[in-house]
Amino acid sequence: MRKFSNQYKPKNTGKQAGYFWLSLLQWLRLLVLSFNRVKDYLSGIFFHEPDNLVLNKMNVETTTPPKLTDNKKLPNMTPTKLLIKWGLMLFLAVCVTNAMAQTGPYQYTGNDTVCLDETKEYGVTLNTGSTYVWTITPATGYTMTPGATPNLISVTWTTPGTYILTVVETNADGCVGEPVTIEIIVNPPPVCSIDGPDNVCPGSTNSYSAPPGMATYSWSISGNATIPGATDEQTVSVLANNSCGSYTLTLIITDANGCTSTCEETFNITDTQAPVVTGTIVTTAVEGCDASAAPDAETNVAGLETIGLDITDNCTSDANLIVSHSDVASGTCQLVINRTYTITDACGNTATAQHVININRPDFTMPANGDTTVNCIADAVAPTPPTVTDFCGNAITPVPGA
């Protein structure tokens, strides 16, 4: 068997410590180079999906065994030179292996989809002594704020579009790692709108609708109306109160991207048309002594319609129309009551109707005639007038000879 000389064998056998450090460096070199071979695979395992080109390269690349070299041709290197050589190789390998930014256990890592005006935090693992340079392409459409440590940033996205977020780490040894990137899509919010009638009647029920195709809907209301049914569908039913005023509908929608939008709109409850009164109330004649003899006034539409009127309103139902009255008396011997009915709808619009009531005093009976007999004319005296009252108890003074 041919014997090969070992050109790495030191000539000074007394320097054992140098060989110890040389062996340690050789072992570390092999370990570092092993890590370096899978660096491309590990570098994106959390932050983004592994590069298919890298994976394919790892799967299909073949290696060719190195040619055996006659070590007689190798230069004779002293332990000092070997120590310097391995030290430089170790330094370079450490730079290549450790300068790569890796993502840490942060909430938002990997390719991301956000909504306009949303703020999110992004980060990579913090390595002691490292510095980090963050960039976003394009350079506008966002506000970037440094985090509590240099491996963190927060970004408020102010313009819809697609962005590339990149971080480059430089470690404590000054070695610059490869850029690590993710893609971020900023989606605009959905367009929120409420479609439905305005200037609705008191007590009416009206339907309002939101844009179709949303993931969720949420309706709420304030003011002079209520929502009697579901509040999580595209359409909503609103019941107006029985009075004029307004109500405000608020809508929150969420689209398939998780982006939300809120809108609200105010609607009026109005009625400018007065009730319509047709027909007449015939004059009523009653006997009596004062206004108390007049018949009781009607208090609702149904009662007025029984004495000759027909009443309608464009918004307010008959049951919700308010009927009031006022009486004005005139005359004495015949007392005349002019009664005015006022019909008021839910929004204060009014209509009137008149009713004339004549109160006549009934006839009364005179007392019987009286007489006195005397023997002489000189004995005759004027008779005492009788006390007379009418039907209502009013005194009537008789007039002699009348």
Side-chain angles (χ1 to χ4, degrees):
M1 178 179 295
R2 186 177 178 181
K3 183 178 181 180
F4 293 88
S5 61
N6 184 0
Q7 73 273 23
Y8 298 106
K9 183 177 181 181
K11 296 180 180 180
N12 187 346
T13 58
K15 297 183 180 180
Q16 298 299 322
Y19 284 105
F20 170 77
W21 289 109
L22 177 62
S23 300
L24 179 60
L25 289 174
Q26 289 176 332
W27 180 83
L28 289 174
R29 174 181 179 270
L30 292 175
L31 180 62
V32 169
L33 291 178
S34 297
F35 285 153
N36 194 40
R37 289 185 56 123
V38 295
K39 177 194 66 175
D40 290 336
Y41 175 72
L42 293 176
S43 63
I45 208 167
F46 296 108
F47 203 87
H48 57 80
E49 297 296 329
D51 192 338
N52 290 329
L53 293 176
V54 175
L55 293 178
N56 293 336
K57 180 179 178 181
M58 294 177 64
N59 292 333
V60 303
E61 185 177 8
T62 57
T63 58
T64 304
K67 292 179 62 178
L68 294 176
T69 305
D70 190 348
N71 59 1
K72 290 182 179 181
K73 297 180 181 179
L74 295 174
N76 187 18
M77 301 184 68
T78 64
T80 300
K81 292 181 179 179
L82 287 174
L83 186 62
I84 294 172
K85 172 184 175 182
W86 291 112
L88 289 173
M89 295 181 67
L90 177 62
F91 173 76
L92 294 175
V94 168
C95 283
V96 172
T97 303
N98 297 332
M100 178 61 65
Q102 296 293 324
T103 59
Y106 303 108
Q107 183 177 3
Y108 303 113
T109 56
N111 291 340
D112 199 11
T113 300
V114 300
C115 298
L116 186 67
D117 295 326
E118 186 175 358
T119 298
K120 281 193 174 182
E121 185 180 74
Y122 303 89
V124 294
T125 300
L126 177 62
N127 295 317
T128 303
S130 291
T131 60
Y132 303 84
V133 177
W134 296 87
T135 57
I136 300 177
T137 304
T140 60
Y142 60 88
T143 299
M144 184 192 303
T145 304
T149 54
N151 64 314
L152 297 175
I153 61 167
S154 64
V155 181
T156 300
W157 303 100
T158 57
T159 303
T162 301
Y163 298 82
I164 301 298
L165 173 61
T166 302
V167 60
V168 176
E169 178 184 355
T170 301
N171 69 8
D173 298 316
C175 299
V176 180
E178 296 181 4
V180 178
T181 64
I182 61 172
E183 180 182 81
I184 299 170
I185 298 175
V186 180
N187 293 305
V191 178
C192 185
S193 63
I194 300 174
D195 186 22
D198 192 11
N199 297 316
V200 300
C201 285
S204 62
T205 299
N206 303 279
S207 180
Y208 297 87
S209 60
M214 296 295 108
T216 63
Y217 300 89
S218 177
W219 296 90
S220 60
I221 196 168
S222 61
N224 295 341
T226 57
I227 298 176
T231 60
D232 58 354
E233 299 176 356
Q234 182 192 350
T235 60
V236 69
S237 182
V238 174
L239 174 61
N241 291 352
N242 285 316
S243 61
C244 276
S246 64
Y247 54 89
T248 300
L249 267 178
T250 301
L251 170 65
I252 302 174
I253 57 175
T254 303
D255 63 15
N257 296 318
C259 298
T260 63
S261 184
T262 302
C263 57
E264 66 178 28
E265 194 159 345
T266 299
F267 300 91
N268 296 302
I269 306 172
T270 59
D271 177 13
T272 59
Q273 298 183 30
V276 177
V277 179
T278 57
T280 58
I281 304 173
V282 298
T283 300
T284 302
V286 295
E287 290 184 341
C289 298
D290 54 31
S292 63
D296 292 337
E298 301 296 338
T299 58
N300 52 49
V301 168
L304 289 177
E305 290 181 339
T306 63
I307 59 175
L309 298 181
D310 185 23
I311 302 171
T312 59
D313 188 77
N314 64 314
C315 282
T316 308
S317 66
D318 286 357
N320 289 317
L321 289 171
I322 298 173
V323 175
S324 60
H325 78 282
S326 63
D327 290 346
V328 177
S330 63
T332 55
C333 186
Q334 184 187 50
L335 180 62
V336 179
I337 303 296
N338 287 294
R339 176 170 290 172
T340 301
Y341 284 102
T342 301
I343 301 95
T344 306
D345 67 15
C347 288
N349 304 301
T350 62
T352 60
Q354 299 296 322
H355 184 195
V356 177
I357 304 168
N358 295 325
I359 302 175
N360 300 306
R361 292 180 181 182
D363 294 335
F364 62 93
T365 303
M366 289 292 292
N369 294 329
D371 58 63
T372 302
T373 301
V374 295
N375 293 323
C376 297
I377 295 176
D379 294 331
V381 295
T384 300
T387 301
V388 181
T389 58
D390 64 11
F391 180 82
C392 297
N394 300 308
I396 299 175
T397 302
V399 178

